[in-house]
Coordinates of all heavy atoms in Angstrom, one line a residue:
M1 N 107.0 94.0 28.7 CA 107.9 93.8 29.8 C 109.3 93.7 29.2 O 109.5 93.1 28.1 CB 107.5 92.6 30.6 CG 108.3 92.5 31.9 SD 108.0 94.0 32.9 CE 107.8 93.2 34.5
S2 N 110.3 94.2 29.8 CA 111.7 94.1 29.3 C 112.4 92.9 29.7 O 112.1 92.2 30.7 CB 112.4 95.4 29.7 OG 112.3 95.6 31.1
N3 N 113.5 92.5 28.9 CA 114.3 91.4 29.4 C 115.8 91.9 29.2 O 116.1 92.9 28.6 CB 114.0 90.1 28.6 CG 114.2 90.2 27.1 OD1 115.3 90.6 26.7 ND2 113.2 89.9 26.4
A4 N 116.7 91.0 29.7 CA 118.1 91.4 29.7 C 118.7 91.8 28.3 O 119.6 92.7 28.2 CB 119.0 90.3 30.3
S5 N 118.2 91.1 27.3 CA 118.8 91.4 25.9 C 118.3 92.8 25.4 O 118.8 93.2 24.4 CB 118.4 90.3 25.0 OG 117.0 90.3 24.8
D6 N 117.4 93.5 26.1 CA 116.9 94.8 25.7 C 117.9 95.9 26.1 O 117.6 97.1 25.7 CB 115.5 95.1 26.3 CG 114.4 94.2 25.8 OD1 114.6 93.6 24.7 OD2 113.4 94.1 26.4
F7 N 118.9 95.6 26.8 CA 119.8 96.6 27.4 C 121.3 96.4 27.0 O 121.7 95.2 26.9 CB 119.7 96.6 28.9 CG 118.3 96.8 29.4 CD1 117.5 95.7 29.7 CD2 117.8 98.1 29.6 CE1 116.3 95.9 30.2 CE2 116.5 98.2 30.1 CZ 115.7 97.1 30.4
V8 N 122.0 97.5 26.7 CA 123.4 97.4 26.5 C 124.0 98.0 27.8 O 123.8 99.2 28.1 CB 123.9 98.2 25.3 CG1 125.4 98.3 25.2 CG2 123.2 97.7 24.0
I9 N 124.6 97.1 28.6 CA 125.2 97.5 29.9 C 126.7 97.3 29.9 O 127.1 96.1 29.6 CB 124.4 96.8 31.0 CG1 122.9 97.1 31.0 CG2 125.0 97.2 32.4 CD1 122.1 96.2 31.9
E10 N 127.4 98.3 30.3 CA 128.9 98.1 30.4 C 129.3 98.6 31.8 O 129.1 99.8 32.1 CB 129.6 98.9 29.3 CG 129.3 98.4 27.9 CD 130.0 99.3 26.9 OE1 130.8 100.1 27.2 OE2 129.6 99.1 25.7
N11 N 129.9 97.8 32.6 CA 130.4 98.1 33.9 C 129.4 98.8 34.8 O 129.7 99.8 35.4 CB 131.7 99.0 33.8 CG 132.8 98.3 33.1 OD1 133.0 97.1 33.3 ND2 133.5 99.0 32.2
G12 N 128.2 98.3 34.8 CA 127.1 98.9 35.6 C 126.4 100.1 35.0 O 125.4 100.6 35.5
V13 N 126.9 100.6 33.8 CA 126.3 101.7 33.1 C 125.3 101.3 32.0 O 125.8 100.6 31.1 CB 127.3 102.7 32.6 CG1 126.7 103.9 31.9 CG2 128.2 103.2 33.7
L14 N 124.1 101.6 32.1 CA 123.1 101.3 31.0 C 123.4 102.3 29.9 O 123.1 103.5 30.0 CB 121.7 101.4 31.5 CG 120.6 100.8 30.6 CD1 119.3 100.7 31.4 CD2 120.4 101.6 29.4
K15 N 124.1 101.8 28.8 CA 124.5 102.7 27.7 C 123.3 102.9 26.7 O 123.2 104.0 26.2 CB 125.6 102.0 27.0 CG 126.9 101.8 27.8 CD 127.6 103.2 28.0 CE 129.0 103.0 28.5 NZ 129.7 104.2 28.6
K16 N 122.5 101.9 26.5 CA 121.5 102.0 25.5 C 120.4 101.0 25.7 O 120.6 99.8 26.1 CB 122.1 101.8 24.1 CG 121.2 102.0 22.9 CD 120.9 103.5 22.7 CE 119.9 103.7 21.6 NZ 119.4 105.0 21.6
Y17 N 119.2 101.4 25.5 CA 118.0 100.5 25.6 C 117.6 100.2 24.1 O 117.5 101.1 23.3 CB 116.8 101.2 26.3 CG 115.6 100.4 26.2 CD1 115.4 99.2 27.0 CD2 114.5 100.8 25.4 CE1 114.3 98.4 26.9 CE2 113.4 100.0 25.3 CZ 113.2 98.9 26.1 OH 112.1 98.1 26.0
V18 N 117.6 98.9 23.8 CA 117.3 98.5 22.4 C 116.0 97.7 22.3 O 115.7 97.1 21.3 CB 118.5 97.7 21.8 CG1 119.7 98.6 21.6 CG2 118.8 96.5 22.6
G19 N 115.2 97.7 23.3 CA 114.0 96.9 23.4 C 112.8 97.6 22.7 O 113.0 98.7 22.1
P20 N 111.6 97.0 22.7 CA 110.5 97.5 22.0 C 109.7 98.7 22.7 O 108.9 99.3 22.1 CB 109.6 96.3 21.9 CG 109.9 95.5 23.2 CD 111.4 95.7 23.4
G21 N 110.0 99.0 24.0 CA 109.3 100.0 24.7 C 108.3 99.5 25.6 O 108.4 98.4 26.1
G22 N 107.2 100.2 25.8 CA 106.2 99.8 26.7 C 106.6 100.1 28.2 O 107.3 101.1 28.4
D23 N 106.3 99.2 29.1 CA 106.6 99.3 30.5 C 108.0 98.6 30.7 O 108.1 97.4 30.5 CB 105.6 98.6 31.4 CG 104.2 99.3 31.2 OD1 104.2 100.5 31.0 OD2 103.2 98.6 31.3
V24 N 109.0 99.4 31.0 CA 110.4 98.9 31.1 C 110.9 98.9 32.5 O 110.6 99.8 33.3 CB 111.3 99.8 30.2 CG1 112.8 99.4 30.4 CG2 110.9 99.7 28.8
V25 N 111.5 97.8 32.9 CA 112.1 97.7 34.2 C 113.6 97.5 34.0 O 114.1 96.5 33.4 CB 111.6 96.4 35.0 CG1 112.3 96.3 36.3 CG2 110.0 96.6 35.2
V26 N 114.4 98.5 34.5 CA 115.8 98.4 34.3 C 116.4 97.3 35.3 O 115.9 97.1 36.4 CB 116.5 99.8 34.8 CG1 118.0 99.7 34.8 CG2 116.0 100.9 33.8
P27 N 117.3 96.5 34.8 CA 117.8 95.3 35.5 C 118.5 95.7 36.8 O 119.2 96.8 36.8 CB 118.7 94.6 34.6 CG 118.5 95.2 33.3 CD 117.9 96.5 33.4
E28 N 118.5 94.9 37.8 CA 119.3 95.1 39.0 C 120.7 95.1 38.7 O 121.1 94.4 37.7 CB 119.0 94.0 40.0 CG 117.6 93.9 40.6 CD 117.2 95.1 41.5 OE1 118.1 95.6 42.2 OE2 116.1 95.6 41.4
G29 N 121.6 95.8 39.4 CA 123.0 95.8 39.1 C 123.4 97.0 38.3 O 124.6 97.4 38.3
V30 N 122.5 97.7 37.7 CA 122.8 99.0 37.0 C 123.0 100.0 38.0 O 122.2 100.2 39.0 CB 121.6 99.3 36.0 CG1 121.8 100.7 35.5 CG2 121.6 98.3 34.9
T31 N 124.1 100.8 37.9 CA 124.3 101.9 38.8 C 124.2 103.3 38.2 O 124.1 104.3 38.9 CB 125.8 101.8 39.4 OG1 126.7 101.8 38.3 CG2 125.9 100.5 40.2
E32 N 124.1 103.3 36.9 CA 124.0 104.6 36.2 C 123.2 104.4 34.9 O 123.4 103.4 34.2 CB 125.4 105.2 35.9 CG 125.4 106.5 35.2 CD 126.8 107.1 35.0 OE1 127.7 106.7 35.8 OE2 127.0 107.8 34.0
I33 N 122.4 105.4 34.6 CA 121.7 105.4 33.3 C 122.5 106.4 32.5 O 122.6 107.6 32.8 CB 120.2 106.0 33.4 CG1 119.4 105.2 34.4 CG2 119.6 106.0 32.0 CD1 119.1 103.7 34.1
G34 N 123.1 106.0 31.4 CA 124.0 106.8 30.6 C 123.3 107.8 29.8 O 122.1 107.8 29.6
D35 N 124.1 108.8 29.3 CA 123.6 109.8 28.4 C 122.9 109.2 27.2 O 123.3 108.2 26.6 CB 124.8 110.7 27.8 CG 125.5 111.4 28.9 OD1 125.0 111.5 30.1 OD2 126.6 111.9 28.6
N36 N 121.7 109.7 26.9 CA 120.9 109.3 25.7 C 120.5 107.9 25.7 O 120.1 107.3 24.7 CB 121.7 109.6 24.4 CG 122.1 111.0 24.3 OD1 121.2 111.9 24.3 ND2 123.4 111.3 24.1
A37 N 120.5 107.2 26.9 CA 120.2 105.8 26.9 C 118.8 105.4 26.4 O 118.7 104.3 25.7 CB 120.3 105.3 28.4
F38 N 117.8 106.2 26.5 CA 116.5 105.9 26.0 C 116.0 106.9 25.0 O 114.9 106.9 24.6 CB 115.5 105.9 27.2 CG 115.7 104.8 28.2 CD1 116.5 104.9 29.2 CD2 115.0 103.6 28.0 CE1 116.7 103.9 30.1 CE2 115.2 102.5 28.9 CZ 116.0 102.7 30.0
C39 N 116.9 107.8 24.6 CA 116.6 108.9 23.7 C 115.8 108.5 22.5 O 116.1 107.5 21.8 CB 118.0 109.5 23.2 SG 117.8 111.0 22.3
E40 N 114.7 109.2 22.2 CA 113.8 109.1 21.1 C 113.1 107.7 21.0 O 112.7 107.3 19.9 CB 114.6 109.4 19.8 CG 115.1 110.9 19.8 CD 115.7 111.3 18.5 OE1 115.7 110.5 17.5 OE2 116.2 112.4 18.4
N41 N 113.0 107.0 22.1 CA 112.2 105.8 22.1 C 110.7 106.2 22.1 O 110.2 106.6 23.2 CB 112.5 104.9 23.2 CG 111.8 103.6 23.2 OD1 110.6 103.5 23.1 ND2 112.5 102.5 23.2
K42 N 110.0 106.1 21.1 CA 108.7 106.6 21.0 C 107.6 105.7 21.5 O 106.5 106.0 21.6 CB 108.4 107.0 19.5 CG 109.2 108.2 19.0 CD 109.1 108.5 17.6 CE 109.9 109.6 17.1 NZ 111.1 109.9 17.7
E43 N 108.0 104.5 21.9 CA 107.1 103.5 22.5 C 107.2 103.3 24.0 O 106.4 102.6 24.6 CB 107.4 102.1 21.8 CG 107.3 102.1 20.3 CD 105.9 102.6 19.8 OE1 104.9 102.2 20.4 OE2 105.9 103.3 18.8
L44 N 108.2 103.9 24.6 CA 108.4 103.8 26.0 C 107.3 104.5 26.8 O 107.0 105.7 26.6 CB 109.8 104.5 26.4 CG 110.2 104.4 27.9 CD1 110.4 103.0 28.3 CD2 111.5 105.3 28.0
T45 N 106.6 103.8 27.7 CA 105.4 104.4 28.4 C 105.7 104.6 29.9 O 105.2 105.5 30.5 CB 104.2 103.6 28.2 OG1 104.4 102.2 28.6 CG2 103.7 103.6 26.7
S46 N 106.5 103.7 30.5 CA 106.9 103.8 31.9 C 108.2 103.1 32.1 O 108.6 102.2 31.3 CB 105.8 103.2 32.8 OG 105.8 101.8 32.8
I47 N 108.9 103.6 33.1 CA 110.2 103.0 33.5 C 110.3 102.9 35.0 O 110.0 103.8 35.7 CB 111.4 103.7 32.8 CG1 112.7 103.0 33.1 CG2 111.4 105.2 33.3 CD1 113.8 103.4 32.2
T48 N 110.8 101.7 35.4 CA 111.1 101.5 36.8 C 112.7 101.4 36.9 O 113.3 100.5 36.3 CB 110.5 100.3 37.4 OG1 109.0 100.4 37.2 CG2 110.8 100.0 38.8
I49 N 113.3 102.3 37.7 CA 114.7 102.3 37.9 C 115.0 101.7 39.3 O 114.4 102.1 40.3 CB 115.2 103.7 37.8 CG1 114.9 104.3 36.4 CG2 116.7 103.8 38.0 CD1 115.2 105.7 36.2
P50 N 115.9 100.7 39.3 CA 116.1 100.0 40.6 C 116.9 100.7 41.6 O 117.7 101.7 41.3 CB 116.8 98.7 40.2 CG 117.6 99.1 39.0 CD 116.7 100.1 38.3
E51 N 116.8 100.3 42.9 CA 117.7 100.8 43.9 C 119.2 100.5 43.5 O 119.4 99.5 42.9 CB 117.4 100.2 45.3 CG 116.1 100.5 45.8 CD 116.0 102.0 46.2 OE1 116.9 102.6 46.7 OE2 114.9 102.6 45.9
G52 N 120.1 101.4 43.8 CA 121.5 101.3 43.4 C 121.9 102.2 42.3 O 123.0 102.5 42.2
V53 N 120.9 102.7 41.5 CA 121.2 103.7 40.5 C 121.4 105.0 41.2 O 120.5 105.5 42.0 CB 120.1 103.8 39.4 CG1 120.3 104.9 38.5 CG2 120.0 102.5 38.6
T54 N 122.5 105.7 40.9 CA 122.8 106.9 41.5 C 122.8 108.1 40.6 O 122.8 109.3 41.0 CB 124.2 106.9 42.2 OG1 125.2 106.5 41.3 CG2 124.2 105.8 43.3
V55 N 123.0 107.8 39.3 CA 123.1 108.9 38.3 C 122.2 108.6 37.1 O 122.1 107.5 36.6 CB 124.5 109.1 37.8 CG1 124.6 110.1 36.7 CG2 125.5 109.4 39.0
I56 N 121.5 109.7 36.6 CA 120.8 109.6 35.3 C 121.5 110.6 34.4 O 121.6 111.8 34.8 CB 119.3 109.9 35.4 CG1 118.6 108.8 36.3 CG2 118.7 110.0 34.0 CD1 117.2 109.1 36.5
G57 N 122.0 110.2 33.3 CA 122.8 111.0 32.4 C 122.0 112.0 31.6 O 120.8 112.0 31.5
C58 N 122.7 112.9 30.9 CA 122.1 113.9 30.1 C 121.2 113.3 29.0 O 121.6 112.3 28.3 CB 123.3 114.7 29.4 SG 124.3 115.6 30.5
S59 N 120.1 113.9 28.8 CA 119.2 113.6 27.7 C 118.8 112.1 27.7 O 118.5 111.5 26.7 CB 119.7 114.0 26.4 OG 120.0 115.3 26.3
A60 N 118.8 111.4 28.9 CA 118.5 110.0 29.0 C 117.2 109.7 28.4 O 117.0 108.6 27.8 CB 118.7 109.5 30.4
F61 N 116.2 110.6 28.6 CA 114.8 110.3 28.2 C 114.4 111.3 27.1 O 113.2 111.5 26.9 CB 113.9 110.3 29.4 CG 114.3 109.2 30.4 CD1 114.9 109.6 31.5 CD2 114.0 107.9 30.1 CE1 115.3 108.6 32.5 CE2 114.4 106.9 31.0 CZ 115.1 107.3 32.2
Y62 N 115.3 112.0 26.5 CA 115.0 113.0 25.5 C 114.0 112.5 24.4 O 114.3 111.4 23.8 CB 116.2 113.6 24.9 CG 116.0 114.6 23.8 CD1 115.6 115.9 24.1 CD2 116.1 114.2 22.4 CE1 115.4 116.8 23.1 CE2 115.8 115.2 21.4 CZ 115.5 116.5 21.8 OH 115.2 117.4 20.8
A63 N 113.0 113.2 24.1 CA 112.0 112.9 23.0 C 111.3 111.6 23.2 O 110.8 111.0 22.3 CB 112.7 113.0 21.7
C64 N 111.2 111.1 24.5 CA 110.3 109.9 24.8 C 108.9 110.4 25.0 O 108.5 110.6 26.1 CB 110.9 109.2 26.0 SG 112.5 108.4 25.7
K65 N 108.2 110.7 23.9 CA 107.0 111.4 24.0 C 105.8 110.7 24.7 O 104.9 111.3 25.2 CB 106.5 111.8 22.6 CG 107.5 112.8 22.0 CD 107.2 113.2 20.6 CE 108.2 114.2 20.1 NZ 107.9 115.0 19.0
E66 N 105.9 109.4 24.7 CA 104.8 108.6 25.4 C 105.2 108.2 26.8 O 104.3 107.6 27.5 CB 104.6 107.3 24.6 CG 104.0 107.5 23.2 CD 102.7 108.3 23.2 OE1 101.8 108.0 24.0 OE2 102.6 109.2 22.3
L67 N 106.3 108.6 27.3 CA 106.7 108.3 28.7 C 105.9 109.1 29.6 O 105.9 110.3 29.7 CB 108.2 108.7 28.9 CG 108.8 108.4 30.2 CD1 108.7 106.9 30.6 CD2 110.3 108.8 30.3
A68 N 105.1 108.4 30.4 CA 104.2 109.0 31.4 C 104.5 108.8 32.8 O 104.0 109.5 33.7 CB 102.7 108.4 31.1
E69 N 105.4 107.8 33.1 CA 105.7 107.5 34.5 C 107.1 107.0 34.7 O 107.6 106.1 33.9 CB 104.7 106.4 35.0 CG 104.8 106.1 36.5 CD 103.8 105.1 36.9 OE1 102.8 104.9 36.2 OE2 104.0 104.5 38.0
I70 N 107.8 107.5 35.7 CA 109.2 107.1 36.0 C 109.2 106.8 37.5 O 108.8 107.7 38.3 CB 110.2 108.1 35.7 CG1 110.3 108.4 34.2 CG2 111.6 107.6 36.1 CD1 111.2 109.5 33.8
S71 N 109.6 105.6 37.9 CA 109.8 105.3 39.3 C 111.3 105.4 39.6 O 112.1 104.7 39.1 CB 109.3 103.8 39.5 OG 109.6 103.4 40.9
L72 N 111.6 106.4 40.5 CA 113.0 106.7 40.8 C 113.4 106.1 42.1 O 112.6 106.0 43.1 CB 113.2 108.2 40.9 CG 112.9 109.0 39.7 CD1 112.9 110.5 40.0 CD2 113.8 108.7 38.6
P73 N 114.6 105.6 42.2 CA 115.1 105.0 43.4 C 115.5 106.0 44.5 O 115.9 107.1 44.2 CB 116.3 104.1 43.0 CG 116.9 105.0 41.9 CD 115.6 105.5 41.1
S74 N 115.5 105.6 45.7 CA 116.0 106.5 46.8 C 117.5 106.7 46.8 O 118.0 107.7 47.4 CB 115.6 105.9 48.2 OG 116.3 104.6 48.4
T75 N 118.2 105.9 46.0 CA 119.7 106.0 45.9 C 120.1 107.1 44.9 O 121.3 107.4 44.8 CB 120.3 104.6 45.5 OG1 119.6 104.2 44.3 CG2 120.2 103.6 46.6
L76 N 119.1 107.6 44.1 CA 119.5 108.6 43.1 C 120.0 109.8 43.7 O 119.4 110.4 44.6 CB 118.2 108.9 42.2 CG 118.4 109.8 41.0 CD1 119.3 109.1 40.0 CD2 117.1 110.1 40.4
K77 N 121.2 110.3 43.2 CA 121.9 111.4 43.7 C 122.0 112.6 42.7 O 122.2 113.7 43.0 CB 123.3 111.1 44.2 CG 123.2 110.1 45.4 CD 124.6 109.8 45.9 CE 124.4 108.9 47.1 NZ 125.6 108.3 47.6
E78 N 122.0 112.2 41.4 CA 122.3 113.2 40.4 C 121.5 112.9 39.1 O 121.5 111.8 38.6 CB 123.8 113.2 40.1 CG 124.2 114.2 39.1 CD 125.7 114.2 38.8 OE1 126.4 113.4 39.5 OE2 126.2 115.0 38.0
I79 N 120.9 114.0 38.6 CA 120.3 113.9 37.2 C 121.0 115.0 36.4 O 120.9 116.2 36.7 CB 118.8 114.2 37.2 CG1 118.0 113.2 38.1 CG2 118.2 114.2 35.8 CD1 116.5 113.4 38.3
R80 N 121.8 114.6 35.5 CA 122.6 115.5 34.7 C 121.7 116.2 33.6 O 120.9 115.6 33.0 CB 123.8 114.7 34.1 CG 124.7 114.2 35.1 CD 125.9 113.5 34.5 NE 126.7 113.0 35.6 CZ 127.5 111.9 35.5 NH1 127.5 111.2 34.4 NH2 128.2 111.5 36.5
M81 N 122.1 117.4 33.3 CA 121.3 118.2 32.3 C 122.2 118.4 31.1 O 123.3 118.5 31.1 CB 121.0 119.6 32.9 CG 120.1 119.4 34.1 SD 118.6 118.5 33.7 CE 117.4 119.6 34.2

């Protein structure tokens, strides 16, 4: 399970995940998942993104080979490529 110190968040943008992986829950108040935020995290297995997130940046989950499940919010409007 993730905790607040596992995330680098600036002005509502999750810039980087620095936690151990596993089942991750993005904190409330995040409005955007930044470019490469979870890039190459080989231990990430699932992620829950809260309501309020509207954008997922480029390559946010690139090379997350163990990622099997993503829970997306209804507020999501854009997934950048």
Side-chain angles (χ1 to χ4, degrees):
M1 194 60 138
S2 50
N3 62 54
S5 65
D6 292 341
F7 303 93
V8 176
I9 300 170
E10 297 176 10
N11 299 318
V13 179
L14 193 162
K15 297 284 192 174
K16 185 73 180 163
Y17 175 71
V18 294
D23 298 327
V24 173
V25 177
V26 174
E28 295 292 327
V30 170
T31 58
E32 182 176 331
I33 307 293
D35 296 347
N36 303 305
F38 292 88
C39 185
E40 297 186 7
N41 184 307
K42 294 174 181 31
E43 304 301 322
L44 182 65
T45 55
S46 74
I47 185 162
T48 300
I49 301 173
E51 292 296 318
V53 172
T54 59
V55 175
I56 296 176
C58 295
S59 301
F61 302 103
Y62 176 76
C64 293
K65 296 181 182 199
E66 297 302 316
L67 182 59
E69 184 175 343
I70 299 176
S71 175
L72 299 173
S74 64
T75 53
L76 186 64
K77 295 180 179 173
E78 181 179 359
I79 299 174
R80 296 182 180 149
M81 300 302 234

